[in-house]
Amino acid sequence: MQSPLDSPRGELLDQYVCARITDLRNVDIGLFDYDRNNALYYFIMNADEYIYMRYGGRDADSADKYLDHDSLQLALEKGLKLHDRYNAGELPAQPRPESFFPRGIASLKAAEMDRGRCVECHLIQDYTLRDREENGSLNKVRDMYRYPDIERIGIKLDIAKGLAIKSVSGPAKDAGLRAGDVISAIEGVPVHTFGDLQYRYDKVPRPDTKSIELAVLRGERTENLTVALPSEWWWTDIYYRFLTIDPEYYFFTELLSDAEKETLKLPVDGFAARITDVDPAAKVFNIHTLKEDDIIVAVDGVESDPFTKSVEIYIKLNVTAGEPVTLDVIRDGERMEILLKPHRQYFRKRAPGK
Amino acid sequence: MRQLGLALAISVAALIANSAANDIDWHEYYEHAREEAQRTGKPMLIAFRCAP
């Protein structure tokens, strides 16, 4: 981000001590906790390691969706004000996060650090999950589907204006949020940037939380609003994260309508779905023999799940890459079983021997 | 010709010097930034730039 000193942003930056870090080898990642799949992410903080705010954030569509010169300038201005308030003793205490360094991630240390390789941000997430998968502690809903998308609950931001809302729909609209509102807190925690909001939203317990509290500035007033969370509010398209433990199955589906399920005598709350497209890679890699218009009825005998109505999400959450499952399928009116042997996702830097 | 070359070299050096003076100084290590922040009382902007 180019910011000459004689530009407004440059004048702001000149009031900061700036650091640009590209290798996390010796960085305290316990302190610097953020979505590791961001190409660029900022912390505004002080020498006491009090974090004023995070700046950055992305979604599945774009790596730089929430990076913007104007909103960065807003954040820098707010950071200076918060710094003054900190020095005046006006900010609440903030416990320092426990230190943790990349060498504490066993597979990362073995595969990258001991070979003298750069510890890129995304590797922190990749290898943390690999270790959890191997020691049996991986919770996919909690560990893989990180940093939920606020657009899934109907909030679109006017990105250049920080947390100003551009438009609302769905749950956000139902809760009473309006275009022009400025989000100021989530679950009672003040937020100054989209980075703050996304970081705190990710901390909301899942999958059982049914609503969240948002505070918004509306003119001179603060409104506290309760947003009902839809099912699977935490789900995001994680393909861009290249997580090797996300199974790749090479087909696409659409959920059957209730009427179609009744006609086929299938449970209405089930995830029966029609195949809409099959990736040729399925044949190349011997993943399955599904065809377009096949109807998947069950996965290893399971026809429904309280978490999801999507058979694809069910597979992502419950099937382990590399381990086969049996699909109950209706093809041309005939019921049959088809074996699914999902692949591991592509992983850019494999651990030795993997 | 030699004078023209010298003038050109001086101009380029001036441009580089001006450019350097006009840029933000970015530390490469967090601890160095923190030391400067402790010394100056300034807040810090820490950027993490990685392949996504």
Side-chain angles (χ1 to χ4, degrees), chain A residues 201-228:
Chain A
Y201 190 31
D202 181 58
K203 301 293 183 197
V204 174
R206 62 185 77 163
D208 296 328
T209 302
K210 303 297 183 198
S211 64
I212 54 168
E213 302 295 319
L214 288 180
V216 297
L217 300 175
R218 184 175 292 164
E220 298 296 311
R221 293 174 33 215
T222 296
E223 300 279 347
N224 293 295
L225 302 166
T226 302
V227 181

